[in-house]
Amino acid sequence: KQEVTQIPAALSVPEGENLVLNCSFTDSAIYNLQWFRQDPGKGLTSLLLIQSSQREQTSGRLNASLDKSSGRSTLYIAASQPGDSATYLCAVDCKAGKSTFGDGTTLTVKP
Amino acid sequence: SAVISQKPSRDICQRGTSLTIQCQVDSQVTMMFWYRQQPGQSLTLIATANQGSEATYESGFVIDKFPISRPNLTFSTLTVSNMSPEDSSIYLCSVEVAEGQPQHFGDGTRLSIL
């Protein structure tokens, strides 16, 4: 059974800092890995999708990496802003569409 | 990409009643899913909604408690039956437009049972 762990559970940084969120998974036989953002009381917004054959994806200030062999992914956020404050969720697909989610990292960026 | 509308956005229900949540997508999609997010926790997959056939449920979820319909490629419903306070959660619909594409989520239905 796939298990997904996110560290840290919460993170508070001053505006402008670069930061890294971590995601680890136990079963390396994955289809893809997706990072989401969830704002309070809202659904999930897809940030980046990394296919199992890829090592990283970039979108603006976000960069996600994937190391299947070690069961790890990181989400790097450059030059953080208060608007980045949210919960970030990592989800791993071991079978088409069946995602296992981590518990998330709650990020607070202080002005 | 896909735009997903969920209704209702929130509801407060009495113990023992049932509520049906609707999920409408603005385009035909191959896969539709229903998730539950209990307070302070992450998402757990309830079932995959299969078009024209019975849903595929994950371990711990049964059809009698969470009946699901998917009459076409753009619409699905999830019913939470005989509700108890333990069913108080956010219920989210998600879709995968095509295999290997990102999953997209609706805003969820926040359900409270008194």
Side-chain angles (χ1 to χ4, degrees):
Chain A
K1 179 187 174 186
Q2 180 73 269
E3 293 182 4
V4 181
T5 303
Q6 289 187 246
I7 295 172
L11 181 63
S12 181
V13 300
E15 182 177 4
E17 266 202 15
N18 304 324
L19 59 101
V20 175
L21 307 180
N22 297 290
C23 172
S24 62
F25 47 94
T26 54
D27 185 349
S28 62
I30 67 171
Y31 273 22
N32 58 52
L33 183 146
Q34 196 166 355
W35 283 93
F36 293 90
R37 166 188 176 135
Q38 186 174 31
D39 293 287
K42 296 288 188 180
L44 277 66
T45 300
S46 176
L47 297 174
L48 290 165
L49 171 72
I50 311 177
Q51 303 287 355
S52 62
S53 59
Q54 298 173 325
R55 293 193 63 85
E56 67 175 343
Q57 283 287 326
T58 298
S59 175
R61 293 183 294 109
L62 305 180
N63 176 276
S65 70
L66 174 63
D67 184 342
K68 262 185 28 174
S69 60
S70 67
R72 295 184 181 185
S73 176
T74 61
L75 179 66
Y76 174 82
I77 302 177
S80 58
Q81 303 170 357
D84 295 331
S85 299
T87 296
Y88 290 81
L89 294 161
C90 165
V92 175
D93 272 13
C94 289
K95 182 178 176 181
K98 295 185 67 168
S99 296
T100 301
F101 281 79
D103 286 341
T105 294
T106 299
L107 173 65
T108 302
V109 181
K110 297 174 287 187
Chain B
S1 186
V3 177
I4 303 163
S5 301
Q6 258 187 259
K7 291 181 182 180
S9 59
R10 60 177 62 231
D11 208 340
I12 301 173
C13 300
Q14 296 294 324
R15 185 194 300 254
T17 62
S18 298
L19 178 75
T20 296
I21 303 167
Q22 298 181 1
C23 177
Q24 179 74 53
V25 192
D26 68 342
S27 60
Q28 293 186 346
V29 296
T30 55
M31 309 284 280
M32 293 183 79
F33 308 95
W34 288 98
Y35 286 84
R36 180 175 73 182
Q37 187 175 29
Q38 293 179 299
Q41 297 187 27
S42 192
L43 281 74
T44 301
L45 181 64
I46 297 172
T48 303
N50 300 309
Q51 193 264 328
S53 65
E54 194 170 286
T56 304
Y57 290 84
E58 297 301 305
S59 175
F61 298 96
V62 295
I63 188 172
D64 289 345
K65 177 67 176 177
F66 298 102
I68 289 170
S69 78
R70 189 176 173 193
N72 56 52
L73 293 176
T74 65
F75 185 78
S76 178
T77 66
L78 168 74
T79 299
V80 185
S81 303
N82 188 26
M83 289 183 285
S84 66
E86 292 72 35
D87 294 320
S88 296
S89 293
I90 301 173
Y91 292 86
L92 297 120
C93 168
S94 80
V95 305
E96 195 172 285
V97 175
E99 191 170 329
Q101 294 298 307
Q103 272 195 68
H104 298 279
F105 281 79
D107 281 344
T109 296
R110 187 180 296 271
L111 185 57
S112 300
I113 291 88
L114 304 178

